[in-house]
Coordinates of all heavy atoms in Angstrom, one line a residue:
V142 N -38.1 59.8 -26.6 CA -39.0 59.5 -25.5 C -38.5 58.3 -24.8 O -38.4 58.3 -23.5 CB -40.5 59.2 -26.0 CG1 -41.3 58.5 -25.0 CG2 -41.1 60.4 -26.5
S143 N -38.0 57.3 -25.5 CA -37.4 56.1 -24.9 C -36.2 56.4 -24.1 O -36.0 56.0 -22.9 CB -37.1 55.0 -25.9 OG -38.3 54.5 -26.5
M144 N -35.3 57.2 -24.7 CA -34.1 57.6 -24.0 C -34.4 58.5 -22.8 O -33.8 58.3 -21.7 CB -33.2 58.4 -25.0 CG -31.8 58.7 -24.4 SD -30.6 59.3 -25.7 CE -31.5 60.7 -26.4
Q145 N -35.3 59.4 -22.9 CA -35.7 60.3 -21.8 C -36.2 59.4 -20.6 O -35.9 59.7 -19.5 CB -36.7 61.4 -22.2 CG -37.0 62.3 -21.0 CD -38.2 63.2 -21.3 OE1 -39.0 62.9 -22.1 NE2 -38.3 64.3 -20.5
T146 N -37.0 58.4 -21.0 CA -37.6 57.6 -19.9 C -36.5 56.8 -19.1 O -36.6 56.7 -17.9 CB -38.6 56.6 -20.6 OG1 -39.6 57.3 -21.3 CG2 -39.3 55.8 -19.5
V147 N -35.5 56.4 -19.8 CA -34.4 55.7 -19.2 C -33.6 56.7 -18.3 O -33.4 56.4 -17.1 CB -33.4 55.1 -20.2 CG1 -32.1 54.6 -19.5 CG2 -34.1 54.0 -21.0
F148 N -33.4 57.9 -18.8 CA -32.7 58.9 -18.0 C -33.5 59.3 -16.7 O -33.0 59.4 -15.6 CB -32.4 60.2 -18.8 CG -31.3 60.1 -19.8 CD1 -30.7 58.8 -20.1 CD2 -30.8 61.2 -20.4 CE1 -29.7 58.7 -21.1 CE2 -29.8 61.1 -21.4 CZ -29.3 59.9 -21.7
N149 N -34.8 59.5 -17.0 CA -35.7 59.8 -15.9 C -35.7 58.7 -14.8 O -35.7 59.0 -13.6 CB -37.2 60.0 -16.4 CG -37.3 61.2 -17.3 OD1 -36.4 62.0 -17.4 ND2 -38.5 61.4 -17.8
N150 N -35.7 57.5 -15.2 CA -35.7 56.4 -14.3 C -34.4 56.4 -13.4 O -34.5 56.2 -12.2 CB -35.8 55.1 -15.0 CG -36.1 53.9 -14.1 OD1 -36.9 53.9 -13.2 ND2 -35.2 52.9 -14.1
K151 N -33.3 56.7 -14.1 CA -32.0 56.8 -13.3 C -32.0 57.9 -12.3 O -31.5 57.8 -11.2 CB -30.8 57.0 -14.3 CG -30.6 55.7 -15.2 CD -30.4 54.5 -14.3 CE -30.1 53.3 -15.2 NZ -30.0 52.1 -14.4
V152 N -32.6 59.1 -12.7 CA -32.8 60.2 -11.7 C -33.7 59.8 -10.6 O -33.4 60.0 -9.4 CB -33.3 61.5 -12.4 CG1 -33.6 62.6 -11.4 CG2 -32.3 62.0 -13.4
N153 N -34.8 59.1 -10.9 CA -35.8 58.7 -9.9 C -35.2 57.7 -8.9 O -35.6 57.7 -7.8 CB -37.0 58.0 -10.6 CG -38.1 57.7 -9.7 OD1 -38.6 58.6 -9.0 ND2 -38.5 56.4 -9.7
E154 N -34.2 56.9 -9.3 CA -33.6 56.0 -8.4 C -32.8 56.7 -7.3 O -32.7 56.2 -6.2 CB -32.6 55.1 -9.2 CG -33.2 54.0 -10.0 CD -32.2 53.3 -10.9 OE1 -31.0 53.5 -10.8 OE2 -32.7 52.4 -11.7
Q155 N -32.4 57.9 -7.6 CA -31.6 58.7 -6.6 C -32.5 59.7 -5.8 O -32.1 60.2 -4.8 CB -30.5 59.4 -7.3 CG -29.5 58.5 -8.0 CD -28.9 57.5 -7.1 OE1 -28.5 57.8 -6.0 NE2 -28.8 56.2 -7.6
T156 N -33.6 60.1 -6.4 CA -34.5 61.1 -5.8 C -35.8 60.5 -5.6 O -36.0 59.4 -5.1 CB -34.6 62.4 -6.7 OG1 -35.2 62.0 -7.9 CG2 -33.2 63.0 -7.0
G157 N -36.9 61.1 -6.0 CA -38.2 60.6 -5.9 C -38.9 61.0 -7.2 O -38.4 61.8 -8.0
S158 N -40.1 60.5 -7.4 CA -40.9 60.7 -8.7 C -41.2 62.2 -8.9 O -41.1 62.7 -10.0 CB -42.1 59.9 -8.7 OG -41.8 58.5 -8.7
W159 N -41.6 62.8 -7.8 CA -42.0 64.2 -8.0 C -40.8 65.1 -8.2 O -40.8 66.1 -9.0 CB -42.8 64.7 -6.8 CG -44.2 64.1 -6.8 CD1 -44.7 63.2 -5.9 CD2 -45.2 64.3 -7.8 NE1 -45.9 62.8 -6.3 CE2 -46.3 63.5 -7.5 CE3 -45.3 65.1 -9.0 CZ2 -47.4 63.4 -8.2 CZ3 -46.4 65.0 -9.7 CH2 -47.5 64.2 -9.4
T160 N -39.7 64.8 -7.5 CA -38.4 65.6 -7.8 C -38.0 65.3 -9.2 O -37.5 66.3 -9.9 CB -37.3 65.1 -6.8 OG1 -37.8 65.4 -5.5 CG2 -36.0 65.9 -7.0
T161 N -38.0 64.1 -9.7 CA -37.7 63.8 -11.1 C -38.5 64.6 -12.0 O -38.0 65.2 -13.0 CB -37.8 62.3 -11.3 OG1 -36.9 61.6 -10.4 CG2 -37.5 61.9 -12.8
T162 N -39.8 64.6 -11.8 CA -40.8 65.3 -12.7 C -40.4 66.7 -12.7 O -40.4 67.4 -13.8 CB -42.2 65.0 -12.2 OG1 -42.5 63.6 -12.2 CG2 -43.2 65.7 -13.1
M163 N -40.2 67.3 -11.6 CA -39.9 68.8 -11.5 C -38.6 69.1 -12.2 O -38.5 70.0 -13.0 CB -39.8 69.2 -10.0 CG -39.6 70.7 -9.8 SD -38.0 71.2 -9.0 CE -37.2 69.9 -8.4
L164 N -37.6 68.3 -12.0 CA -36.3 68.4 -12.6 C -36.4 68.3 -14.2 O -35.9 69.2 -14.9 CB -35.3 67.4 -12.1 CG -34.1 67.9 -11.4 CD1 -33.6 66.9 -10.4 CD2 -33.0 68.2 -12.4
V165 N -37.1 67.3 -14.6 CA -37.2 67.1 -16.1 C -38.0 68.3 -16.7 O -37.5 68.8 -17.8 CB -38.0 65.8 -16.3 CG1 -38.5 65.7 -17.8 CG2 -37.1 64.6 -16.0
L166 N -39.0 68.7 -16.1 CA -39.8 69.8 -16.7 C -39.1 71.1 -16.6 O -39.2 71.9 -17.5 CB -41.2 69.8 -16.1 CG -42.1 68.6 -16.5 CD1 -43.4 68.6 -15.7 CD2 -42.3 68.4 -18.0
F167 N -38.4 71.3 -15.5 CA -37.6 72.6 -15.4 C -36.5 72.6 -16.5 O -36.3 73.6 -17.1 CB -37.0 72.7 -14.0 CG -36.2 74.0 -13.9 CD1 -36.8 75.2 -13.8 CD2 -34.8 73.9 -13.8 CE1 -36.0 76.4 -13.8 CE2 -34.0 75.0 -13.7 CZ -34.6 76.3 -13.7
M168 N -35.8 71.5 -16.6 CA -34.7 71.5 -17.6 C -35.3 71.6 -19.0 O -34.7 72.3 -19.9 CB -33.9 70.2 -17.5 CG -33.1 70.1 -16.2 SD -32.0 71.4 -15.9 CE -30.8 71.1 -17.2
G169 N -36.5 71.0 -19.2 CA -37.1 71.2 -20.5 C -37.5 72.6 -20.8 O -37.4 73.1 -21.9
F170 N -38.0 73.3 -19.7 CA -38.4 74.7 -19.8 C -37.1 75.5 -20.2 O -37.2 76.4 -21.1 CB -38.9 75.2 -18.5 CG -39.0 76.7 -18.4 CD1 -40.1 77.4 -19.1 CD2 -38.1 77.5 -17.7 CE1 -40.1 78.8 -19.1 CE2 -38.2 78.9 -17.7 CZ -39.2 79.5 -18.4
V171 N -36.0 75.3 -19.5 CA -34.8 76.1 -19.8 C -34.4 75.8 -21.3 O -34.1 76.8 -22.0 CB -33.7 75.7 -18.8 CG1 -32.3 76.3 -19.2 CG2 -34.1 76.2 -17.4
A172 N -34.3 74.6 -21.7 CA -33.9 74.2 -23.0 C -34.8 74.8 -24.1 O -34.3 75.4 -25.1 CB -33.8 72.7 -23.2
S173 N -36.1 74.7 -23.9 CA -37.0 75.2 -24.9 C -37.1 76.7 -24.9 O -37.2 77.3 -26.0 CB -38.4 74.6 -24.7 OG -38.9 75.0 -23.4
L174 N -36.9 77.4 -23.8 CA -36.8 78.8 -23.7 C -35.6 79.3 -24.5 O -35.7 80.2 -25.4 CB -36.7 79.4 -22.3 CG -36.6 80.9 -22.2 CD1 -37.8 81.6 -22.7 CD2 -36.3 81.3 -20.7
L175 N -34.4 78.7 -24.3 CA -33.2 79.1 -25.0 C -33.4 78.8 -26.5 O -33.0 79.7 -27.3 CB -32.0 78.4 -24.5 CG -31.6 78.8 -23.1 CD1 -30.4 77.9 -22.6 CD2 -31.2 80.2 -23.0
A176 N -33.9 77.7 -26.9 CA -34.1 77.3 -28.3 C -35.1 78.3 -29.0 O -34.8 78.8 -30.1 CB -34.6 75.9 -28.5
S177 N -36.1 78.6 -28.3 CA -37.1 79.6 -28.8 C -36.5 80.9 -29.0 O -36.8 81.6 -30.0 CB -38.3 79.6 -27.8 OG -39.3 80.5 -28.4
L178 N -35.8 81.4 -28.0 CA -35.1 82.7 -28.2 C -34.2 82.8 -29.3 O -34.1 83.7 -30.0 CB -34.5 83.1 -26.9 CG -35.4 83.5 -25.7 CD1 -34.6 83.6 -24.4 CD2 -36.2 84.7 -26.0
I179 N -33.4 81.7 -29.5 CA -32.5 81.6 -30.6 C -33.2 81.6 -32.0 O -32.8 82.3 -32.9 CB -31.5 80.4 -30.5 CG1 -30.6 80.6 -29.3 CG2 -30.7 80.1 -31.7 CD1 -29.9 79.3 -28.8
F180 N -34.2 80.7 -32.1 CA -34.8 80.5 -33.4 C -36.0 81.4 -33.7 O -36.3 81.6 -34.9 CB -35.3 79.0 -33.5 CG -34.1 78.1 -33.6 CD1 -33.8 77.2 -32.5 CD2 -33.2 78.0 -34.7 CE1 -32.7 76.4 -32.5 CE2 -32.2 77.1 -34.7 CZ -31.9 76.3 -33.6
E181 N -36.7 81.8 -32.7 CA -37.9 82.7 -32.9 C -37.7 84.1 -32.4 O -38.6 84.9 -32.7 CB -39.1 82.0 -32.2 CG -39.4 80.7 -32.9 CD -40.6 79.9 -32.2 OE1 -41.2 80.5 -31.2 OE2 -40.9 78.8 -32.6
G182 N -36.7 84.3 -31.6 CA -36.4 85.7 -31.2 C -37.6 86.3 -30.4 O -38.2 85.6 -29.5
K183 N -37.9 87.5 -30.7 CA -39.0 88.2 -30.0 C -40.4 87.6 -30.1 O -41.3 87.8 -29.3 CB -39.0 89.7 -30.3 CG -39.4 90.0 -31.8 CD -39.5 91.4 -32.1 CE -39.9 91.6 -33.5 NZ -40.0 93.0 -33.9
N184 N -40.5 86.8 -31.2 CA -41.8 86.1 -31.4 C -42.1 85.0 -30.3 O -43.2 84.5 -30.2 CB -41.9 85.5 -32.7 CG -42.0 86.5 -33.8 OD1 -42.5 87.6 -33.6 ND2 -41.5 86.2 -35.0
T185 N -41.1 84.7 -29.5 CA -41.3 83.7 -28.4 C -42.4 84.1 -27.5 O -43.2 83.2 -27.0 CB -40.0 83.6 -27.6 OG1 -38.9 83.1 -28.4 CG2 -40.1 82.8 -26.3
F186 N -42.6 85.4 -27.3 CA -43.6 85.8 -26.3 C -44.9 86.3 -26.9 O -45.7 86.9 -26.3 CB -43.0 86.9 -25.4 CG -41.7 86.4 -24.7 CD1 -40.5 86.7 -25.1 CD2 -41.9 85.4 -23.6 CE1 -39.4 86.2 -24.4 CE2 -40.8 84.9 -23.0 CZ -39.5 85.3 -23.4

C-alpha cells in the first residue's frame, strides 16, 4: 500500500488524479485477471 501510494503520486505528478486512478485500477484489473486465470482457471468466472 505504501509503495503503491508513492508510485501513484509519481504518476499523478505527470497526469491528473482521475487519470492516475483509472490507470491504477485498469492495471490492477489486468494483473488480477491474469493471476486468477493462472491460479483459479475456469473458476475465475
Side-chain angles (χ1 to χ4, degrees):
V142 168
S143 295
M144 188 169 55
Q145 181 190 23
T146 303
V147 171
F148 286 12
N149 293 354
N150 190 52
K151 294 300 180 185
V152 172
N153 186 56
E154 289 174 1
Q155 303 301 316
T156 63
S158 295
W159 289 113
T160 302
T161 300
T162 302
M163 185 241 350
L164 240 150
V165 166
L166 294 174
F167 177 73
M168 294 302 293
F170 167 76
V171 170
S173 60
L174 177 63
L175 291 174
S177 181
L178 290 171
I179 290 167
F180 294 108
E181 297 176 2
K183 65 180 182 177
N184 291 332
T185 293
F186 302 104

